[in-house]
Amino acid sequence: MKVQSATAKELARLMKGATPAKLKKRPMPDKWSVTEVIAHLADSEMVVGWRLRSILGAPGTPIQAYDQDAWAKEGNYGKRDARKSSNNSAYCGK
């Protein structure tokens, strides 16, 4: 919980003043942009929540896998607004 709380504040600080273009710029062709990472954090939080609820509701339930790259592609992570993604995630401060 401490790490989540600290990370949210740090992400907000790091994004402050950054233009949408800068947040969407990939550092290398095969690396995710800030926008994509923030969208991934928001979606991953949803996945982890589902996994925990499944396990708590039925102990012994196997952890369900998901393809993060497919989610990034189909979810258009690169076209999302990083600030809106962070507003939709408890991990990112909400």
Side-chain angles (χ1 to χ4, degrees):
M1 295 297 286
K2 287 181 182 181
V3 170
Q4 279 187 312
S5 178
T7 300
K9 292 173 188 170
E10 184 66 8
L11 288 172
R13 184 188 72 74
L14 291 169
M15 285 194 301
K16 188 175 183 174
T19 65
K22 184 174 182 177
L23 294 172
K24 291 178 184 203
K25 185 176 184 342
R26 286 182 164 202
M28 296 177 65
D30 63 337
K31 300 295 180 187
W32 284 3
S33 67
V34 170
T35 294
E36 292 167 310
V37 170
I38 299 296
H40 170 71
L41 289 174
D43 280 356
S44 293
E45 180 182 323
M46 205 172 22
V47 169
V48 169
W50 171 251
R51 286 174 173 170
L52 289 173
R53 285 170 179 82
S54 295
I55 292 166
L56 290 171
T61 298
I63 294 175
Q64 297 296 311
Y66 77 104
D67 182 340
Q68 69 180 21
D69 294 319
W71 279 47
K73 180 182 175 188
E74 296 303 319
N76 294 312
Y77 283 8
K79 294 181 180 180
R80 290 190 189 176
D81 180 320
R83 288 176 180 85
K84 286 182 181 178
S85 290
S86 70
N87 287 336
N88 292 325
S89 171
Y91 186 84
C92 296
K94 295 293 176 190

